[in-house]
Structure formats: structure tokens, C-alpha cells
């Protein structure tokens, strides 16, 4: 019996660890984010430059929150969307323009992120394993 445990015990433990990693990775998701460059205009409207196709599901009137800016996280309403060769330009109106303009402290160029979905941890691990 002791020879059986010594011979197959390591493989059993490795198999159990692999099953545990699979279960953990299949249940967790990571939010993906896209960088946004925000240009604040004098009339309160903002131009947001993002990667092409990053916000393809957005339609006019949708609310979009830009996170991790120096002035905090702010919600915006999408007014229009124009596709350029190098980027996608979104015309955004802050939900509360007066407070937003006060919080920017005169800065007209801001950088932040837009969360655009979730990715499975299992898929990310699989991509890393296959790409090597």
C-alpha cells in the first residue's frame, strides 16, 4: 500500500491541483478597460478619444462613466460618435457640468479609463499558455 501511495500520490495531488485551478479560473472574471483621452471644451462638452471599435455598443443618449481621472470618476451622456482612422471620437456631456468643470480645476486634457466588459480568467490563462 505504501508503494502505491508513493508511486501514484504525486500524480494524484497534481491532478487535484489542476482541477482546483480550473474551477477557480472558470468562476472568476476580470473587467477589461480601455484608455480614454478627454479634451474639455469651454462650453462644457468633452471630446473623448478611444481606440477604434472599443465602444461599438454605445448609442446616442447612453451614460458612460470615465474612471481613474485626476478629478475622480464622472458619468457622461453620449451626444455623438465619429469614427476616425486612428481613433473613435465621442462627444460627451457631463451629467453635472458645473461640478465637473469645477473639479477639473482648469485642466482641459484628462486621461482616464472606460470599463468595456469582462474577460474570463480561464481564457486569459489559456492565452498565456498557448502563446508561449
Amino acid at each position: 500500500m505504501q508503494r502505491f501511495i508513493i508511486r501514484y500520490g504525486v500524480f494524484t495531488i497534481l491532478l487535484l491541483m489542476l482541477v482546483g485551478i480550473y474551477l477557480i479560473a472558470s468562476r472568476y472574471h476580470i473587467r477589461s478597460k480601455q484608455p480614454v483621452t478627454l479634451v474639455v471644451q469651454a462650453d462644457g462638452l468633452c471630446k473623448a478619444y478611444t481606440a477604434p471599435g472599443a465602444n461599438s455598443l454605445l448609442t446616442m443618449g447612453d451614460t458612460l462613466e470615465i474612471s481613474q481621472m485626476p478629478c475622480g470618476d464622472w458619468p457622461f451622456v453620449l451626444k455623438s460618435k465619429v469614427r476616425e482612422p486612428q481613433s473613435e471620437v465621442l462627444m460627451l456631456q457631463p451629467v453635472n457640468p458645473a461640478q465637473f468643470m469645477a473639479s477639473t480645476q482648469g485642466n482641459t486634457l484628462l486621461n482616464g479609463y472606460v470599463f468595456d466588459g469582462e474577460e474570463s480568467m480561464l481564457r486569459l490563462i489559456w492565452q498565456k499558455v498557448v502563446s508561449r
Side-chain angles (χ1 to χ4, degrees):
M1 183 68 176
Q2 188 177 11
R3 294 180 83 207
F4 180 78
I5 292 173
I6 291 173
R7 177 179 266 174
Y8 297 109
V10 172
F11 297 112
T12 305
I13 289 171
L14 289 175
L15 183 64
L16 286 174
M17 287 175 57
L18 186 63
V19 168
I21 290 171
Y22 172 78
L23 290 174
I24 290 170
S26 65
R27 289 201 167 96
Y28 286 102
H29 297 278
I30 296 176
R31 293 193 318 173
S32 60
K33 60 185 178 181
Q34 296 292 328
V36 174
T37 301
L38 194 69
V39 178
V40 181
Q41 298 175 343
D43 58 358
L45 286 176
C46 301
K47 277 188 180 180
Y49 293 88
T50 64
N55 300 303
S56 59
L57 298 177
L58 292 174
T59 59
M60 306 314 147
D62 283 352
T63 302
L64 175 73
E65 183 171 329
I66 300 181
S67 303
Q68 299 177 358
M69 289 190 296
C71 59
D73 301 348
W74 287 92
F76 294 88
V77 176
L78 180 63
K79 294 297 181 185
S80 67
K81 182 165 58 169
V82 177
R83 187 173 176 89
E84 293 181 353
Q86 295 294 320
S87 62
E88 193 166 343
V89 181
L90 308 174
M91 289 301 293
L92 303 173
Q93 168 91 37
V95 173
N96 192 337
Q99 278 187 338
F100 176 72
M101 294 302 279
S103 71
T104 60
Q105 299 174 351
N107 292 324
T108 58
L109 183 65
L110 302 169
N111 293 313
Y113 293 95
V114 174
F115 291 100
D116 64 346
E118 291 184 341
E119 292 189 52
S120 170
M121 180 73 90
L122 184 63
R123 190 174 144 272
L124 293 173
I125 291 172
W126 182 252
Q127 283 178 341
K128 287 289 185 185
V129 169
V130 172
S131 68
R132 287 189 174 195

